[in-house]
Structures are given as C-alpha cells and as structure tokens.
Amino acid sequence: MLKVLMVTSEAAPFAKTGGLADMVSSLSSSLKARNIDVRIIMPRYYTINRDTFEKLPPALCVPMTYGDEWGAVYKGALPGSETPGGAVPVYFLEHEQLYGRNGIYGYTPDEGFHDNAHRYSFLCRAVFQICRMINWIPDVIHCHDWASALIPYILRKEEYLGEFSGSFSMLTIHNLGYQGIFPLTEAYLVKKHLSAWDIAGLEFDGAFNFLKTGIVFADVITTVSPTYAKEIQTSQYGERLDHLLRSRSNDVYGILNGADYENWSPETDAYISPNNFSVSKMANKKKVKKLLQKEFGLPQDDDIPVFGMVTRLVAQKGLIELCYPTIGSLFNICNDFKLQFIILGSGNKWCEEELRRLTDRLPNLKIWIGYNDRIAHIIEAGSDFFLMPSKYEPCGLNQLYSMRYGTLPIVRNTGGLADSVENYNEETGKGTGFVLNDLTPHSIYNTVGWVLSTWYNKRKDINNMRKQAMRKDFSWTKSADEYIKLYSNLYNRKVFL
Ligand code: ADP
Ligand code: GLC
C-alpha cells in the first residue's frame, strides 16, 4: 500500500486561514477512500483542543542545529475521513514555546510571529523523528506551501542514507505570494555552518527563503490548477521565482483542486436547513436569499440581486481595485446600481477600516468582519452572484462552492478561476459565470454592470446558467487520481533505485 505523508501548517477543521486547510483535508480523505495509507503531520496550535487525542508515550527528541529540542506528539483522526480501514491519522506536534499561543502565523493576519522561521524549521525536522517514533516511513512526503518546504532539502542533504533513502518529496505550491522569507542569519536553523553550496539552495536575494528551497530540492512540484502552473513560470506571476520554476518545468504539474461536496452542497448543507435545494428544486434558494437579506438587515426583495464575497481581505483578491480609498470601485457600484452587496472577510487593517467606512455611507452594502463558517455558507447559498476579481488565484475554492449552489461567480481570467468558470455567451445563453480580463476598478464596475443588465433583462439566461453551474462536477475523484499517478511515478523510481 502506497504510503503518503502530508505535512502542513493548516488542515480543516483543526486550523484554517484559507483554502490550503480545505485542500489538505479533502485530498487526504479522497486518498484514504482510494486505499492509500495517508497520514498528516501538523503543529498543535494552542486553539486545537487535544482532549480527544491520544498522547503518544515517548517524548519527541528533535536534533536541531543548536542542540536537542523536545516536543510531544498527539494522535487524532481526520473527521469525515472514516473508511472500513480506519480514518486518516493526524499527528499533532506539540511544543509549548513555539505553538502554545493564539494564531497560526501571527496574532493578526497583518503580522507574522517573529519566530516563524524557528517554528516551521522545527516542524520540518520533527517530521523525520515522528516517522521514526511511529515506525512508519512514507514513500512520499507531500509538503504544502512554504511552511513545510525545508523538508525536501533535509531529505536530500541529510536523510538520504538511512530509513528515508527510498522516500521522495512532492511540494505543492498553493500560493507563490507567500514564500517564508527570513534574514539569512536564520538559516543556521537548518545548517550550522553554511557552505557556498548550502547557501545556493537556501538563499534567495540575500534572504533565507523556505519556498525557494523546496522548489530547488523537491522531486516533484505541483500547483493547484493547470493555468497557475503555467503562470508561475512567467515574470508576471512568478513572484521572482519564475526563472527557477522554468528551470524545473519538466517536474512542474498543475492539478485543479476538487471541492468538498460533503460540506458544500445545497442538498445537505445543515446551515441552510430546512431550506435545502437542488437543481430540480430551486424554490428554496429564494427562501435562503430572503433569510440572508434578513440576517444582514437588507430589504427582503427577490428582484434585487445579492452579490456576495467571502474572502481574505488582501491585495491578491482584487481588494485594492475594489475598495482602496479613493480608487476602488465599490462605492460607485453600490451607489449607482440597484443591488445589494454582502462581504464576509478579515485581513489587512486598511481594508477592514475602509469597508466599515463605506458601509456607513451605503445602505445596500453590508459587511461581517471576522471568520465565520456559518455566514460563509449562507452567503454562498443565498447570494445570486459571487465576486472574485483576484489579481491571481492558484485555484480558488469559493467559485467551485458557489457554482454548486447556483450562485454565479464573477471572476477574473486567471489561474484556477480561468480553469473552472465558463464565461457567459450572450448568443447561446451558455456559461457558468462572468469573466473579466483586466483587473482595474473600471473593469470590475463594467462587469457588474453587464451582470446587472443580464439580471434585469435576460433573467431566463441567468436561471439557465445557474443550472449549468450546479451540474458541473468538481469533485475530488479526478484530481485525487492525478495525485496518485504522480505518487506512483515517484514510487516506481524507488523500485529502480
Ligand atoms: P484562499 O485560500 O486564497 O483564501 P480559497 O478560495 O481557496 O482562497 O479558499 C478560501 C476558503 O476560506 C474557503 O473555504 C472560504 O469559505 C474560507 N474563508 C475565507 N474567508 C473566510 C471568512 N472570513 N469566514 C469563513 N470562511 C472564510
Ligand atoms: C491558496 C490559494 C487558493 C487555493 C488554496 C487551496 O490559498 O490562494 O487559490 O484554492 O490555496 O489550494
């Protein structure tokens, strides 16, 4: 049985700031259902309740460059991953000083903890000790984003002779915009005395760069959509690592994420019960819309379209063009058009403050600042349209969820948005959403105008598109098989070692 270890800084429902957490958990569940021996290692942040976990008896000794560091390991199971052969085991790495505080990467989304290089170097090293402790050596260590990207280096440079000599590494880039960049002096966490060769691997532009290290040393690199896999090899989207990614282009693959329909389906979603709906029973969607309008204190009028957003409030998501003071188009959109706008999000302070200021002036704009799963579900389910004008979008899960609920996405033509949303064709009436090409305040305004003219003049097309969107299948089946193919290719290399 193929053994795959996921190493991650987030996994739903234990710790989540965005889609990474959803992806790791739903991919793991799908792999388990396909008979892969998949396990997860992640930090035990203070907010993760360990009451139901089993504490593994021996203390964990992790040899760091400055001496031994001690931690503990708790074992839990991934909810929703149960199979006749058991659920996906999750090993939580505990270390009071490093993880015993609120927050995943920082107390607020705006600032990272000062010791993040230390926190995640420890995770990367501890992984090998945990595998030894549980006497389970994976065929593939599947790393996700910068926080686990030192593992390919440690595997190739230090662990290549012993038990791990037959293990391979895969790095999935969920977001090239977050690289884990620290002062070069912190590279001592990986190696005490750095040779020129070490620096060539760990350093980028005078700094210690986790993700760059992973890109250099991983056996296979994947990203979460075919279009983003191409985009990151260009200077426009490459975040200055495009040359490096181009040099590895034979090992770079793009696999579109699936959506977790167990959690995100209008037929079964508990947050909208008893008004669940489906393609053949759409009347309840109107009821959910009314409840959403009521929840946000908006007039309960079905003729007024509701535009929803659920997002991290950061530049990546097109928030500068939408609402940066004096340049964003949100004020004009809400002021000029007959619509209602609801935004759920948290993130950069400037954006939270600007949204609060705008809601004081616009009775049809409502916001909920913070993180709230229930509100996310009712916005996805009850809105008519879902806006994602991202500057770049590696995959994007919200557009997949919204299509499932017949909430038409309005997206920019980039990354996974381009791979999943089919633009409305006015002649044929076909499409699953609305696509804009350039990202400017003006183009967002114009696209919303186009959506509204379709809503008010061609409602039949909107209703047809809803059905086309709901019938699309973005389940994990195909994507999980593509991952298995890549794991098996690596495994076959081992056979020939
Ligand atoms: P990203 O990972 O870049 O933030 P995705 O679209 O891949 O974007 O995933 C975002 C995930 O996070 C979705 O599951 C979305 O519902 C959730 N999410 C984002 N912001 C919030 C919030 N404020 N409250 C609840 N869920 C949120
Ligand atoms: C990242 C990306 C997002 C993607 C998610 C899961 O957070 O920004 O586009 O859907 O990872 O892969």
Side-chain angles (χ1 to χ4, degrees):
M1 198 189 278
L2 199 59
K3 290 183 277 198
V4 177
L5 173 65
M6 302 282 174
V7 185
T8 180
S9 51
E10 303 181 27
F14 303 112
K16 167 168 166 176
T17 67
L20 163 66
D22 290 346
M23 186 281 191
V24 170
S25 297
S26 39
L27 172 60
S28 302
S29 297
S30 308
L31 293 172
K32 184 78 188 169
R34 283 166 181 72
N35 222 14
I36 305 286
D37 182 0
V38 54
R39 306 184 187 199
I40 299 175
I41 293 182
M42 65 183 289
R44 190 235 148 198
Y45 304 107
Y46 200 53
T47 43
I48 302 176
N49 182 346
R50 61 182 186 193
D51 289 353
T52 58
F53 302 157
E54 171 198 354
K55 184 172 184 187
L56 299 188
L60 183 81
C61 177
V62 182
M64 299 294 284
T65 48
Y66 54 85
D68 288 349
E69 188 83 70
W70 291 84
V73 181
Y74 285 79
K75 184 180 174 193
L78 184 67
S81 68
E82 294 78 12
T83 66
V88 174
V90 186
Y91 299 92
F92 294 92
L93 172 63
E94 183 166 272
H95 188 290
E96 183 56 34
Q97 273 140 304
L98 296 176
Y99 309 126
R101 56 186 100 151
N102 286 327
I104 296 180
Y105 308 108
Y107 288 117
T108 66
D110 267 350
E111 44 182 334
F113 290 125
H114 72 282
D115 55 351
N116 272 346
H118 192 175
R119 295 169 80 233
Y120 292 106
S121 302
F122 179 66
L123 171 71
C124 292
R125 283 210 172 272
V127 157
F128 295 92
Q129 298 305 89
I130 296 175
C131 290
R132 289 190 177 101
M133 181 198 236
I134 60 174
N135 200 8
W136 183 83
I137 305 298
D139 300 307
V140 181
I141 307 182
H142 188 162
C143 310
H144 296 267
D145 273 354
W146 69 267
S148 50
L150 296 181
I151 289 173
Y153 172 90
I154 300 172
L155 185 63
R156 278 293 148 260
K157 291 276 188 179
E158 294 173 26
E159 297 280 2
Y160 59 97
L161 287 178
E163 307 93 310
F164 291 93
S165 59
S167 302
F168 291 87
S169 63
M170 177 186 285
L171 171 68
T172 294
I173 299 172
H174 294 261
N175 195 330
L176 199 60
Y178 299 85
Q179 298 179 6
I181 299 173
F182 303 96
L184 191 54
T185 44
E186 305 216 7
Y188 83 91
L189 288 161
V190 186
K191 188 121 191 266
K192 216 168 190 175
H193 304 291
L194 297 175
S195 68
W197 282 111
D198 296 317
I199 292 184
L202 300 165
E203 179 262 3
F204 182 68
D205 226 5
F208 175 27
N209 186 315
F210 275 50
L211 195 68
K212 182 249 169 165
T213 305
I215 293 172
V216 171
F217 291 98
D219 294 302
V220 168
I221 299 160
T222 73
T223 180
V224 287
S225 70
T227 296
Y228 194 58
K230 287 190 207 123
E231 286 175 341
I232 55 175
Q233 300 183 52
T234 67
S235 57
Q236 189 187 350
Y237 290 95
E239 304 280 349
R240 299 164 71 239
L241 294 181
D242 46 296
H243 65 289
L244 189 59
L245 286 156
R246 280 197 299 278
S247 75
R248 297 225 46 201
S249 62
N250 286 341
D251 299 311
V252 176
Y253 298 84
I255 301 177
L256 193 72
N257 285 336
D260 173 7
Y261 290 140
E262 298 259 315
N263 261 319
W264 296 93
S265 279
E267 293 86 354
T268 51
D269 192 330
Y271 289 119
I272 58 169
S273 168
N275 299 311
N276 294 90
F277 59 92
S278 64
V279 192
S280 54
K281 193 176 153 213
M282 285 298 279
N284 274 354
K285 183 165 169 78
K286 290 190 180 170
K287 289 195 194 152
V288 180
K289 173 174 171 179
K290 283 205 162 162
L291 289 173
L292 176 67
Q293 289 170 318
K294 186 167 168 219
E295 174 116 13
F296 279 91
L298 289 162
Q300 291 180 278
D301 182 343
D302 185 50
D303 196 45
I304 302 181
V306 174
F307 286 66
M309 283 183 89
V310 177
T311 184
R312 289 183 293 119
L313 300 173
V314 294
Q316 178 202 342
K317 303 294 179 179
L319 267 308
I320 292 190
E321 291 74 7
L322 189 68
C323 64
Y324 197 77
T326 74
I327 61 168
S329 52
L330 187 60
F331 178 82
N332 288 338
I333 288 174
C334 292
N335 197 45
D336 299 355
F337 295 134
K338 195 175 161 202
L339 52 71
Q340 297 172 341
F341 217 110
I342 301 175
I343 302 177
L344 163 66
S346 66
N348 295 157
K349 271 279 150 300
W350 72 261
C351 191
E352 298 185 358
E353 275 161 23
E354 180 62 5
L355 286 176
R356 285 201 183 97
R357 210 176 59 84
L358 286 172
T359 49
D360 288 342
R361 300 163 65 198
L362 296 161
N364 54 347
L365 171 67
K366 300 290 176 188
I367 58 167
W368 207 104
I369 300 293
Y371 193 90
N372 188 312
D373 214 28
R374 183 183 73 86
I375 308 267
H377 279 252
I378 61 173
I379 291 180
E380 292 279 7
S383 305
D384 295 296
F385 302 101
F386 194 93
L387 183 63
M388 286 181 85
S390 305
K391 192 169 165 213
Y392 69 94
E393 195 61 75
C395 176
L397 295 173
N398 280 312
Q399 83 281 10
L400 306 181
Y401 303 152
S402 70
M403 282 191 267
R404 192 63 163 189
Y405 289 85
T407 300
L408 299 177
I410 303 165
V411 302
R412 196 174 151 248
N413 191 11
T414 185
L417 301 174
D419 290 336
S420 56
V421 179
E422 188 193 335
N423 197 12
Y424 170 50
N425 179 327
E426 294 189 39
E427 262 138 52
T428 61
K430 283 188 111 188
T432 56
F434 296 83
V435 179
L436 61 122
N437 284 314
D438 303 322
L439 178 58
T440 61
H442 208 64
S443 69
I444 301 177
Y445 180 93
N446 285 341
T447 308
V448 171
W450 177 37
V451 172
L452 284 172
S453 79
T454 317
W455 169 268
Y456 285 113
N457 304 318
K458 287 180 151 185
R459 192 74 61 89
K460 227 171 86 191
D461 278 5
I462 297 283
N463 290 335
N464 271 330
M465 283 166 77
R466 282 199 210 282
K467 292 191 175 157
Q468 292 173 57
M470 290 172 88
R471 288 200 181 101
K472 284 268 166 193
D473 181 6
F474 293 102
S475 55
W476 267 101
T477 320
K478 188 165 155 264
S479 313
D481 286 343
E482 287 184 51
Y483 278 104
I484 292 177
K485 212 177 317 130
L486 292 181
Y487 299 144
S488 306
N489 289 346
L490 288 174
Y491 183 80
N492 291 338
R493 277 197 218 172
K494 169 174 158 177
V495 173
F496 289 111
L497 271 182

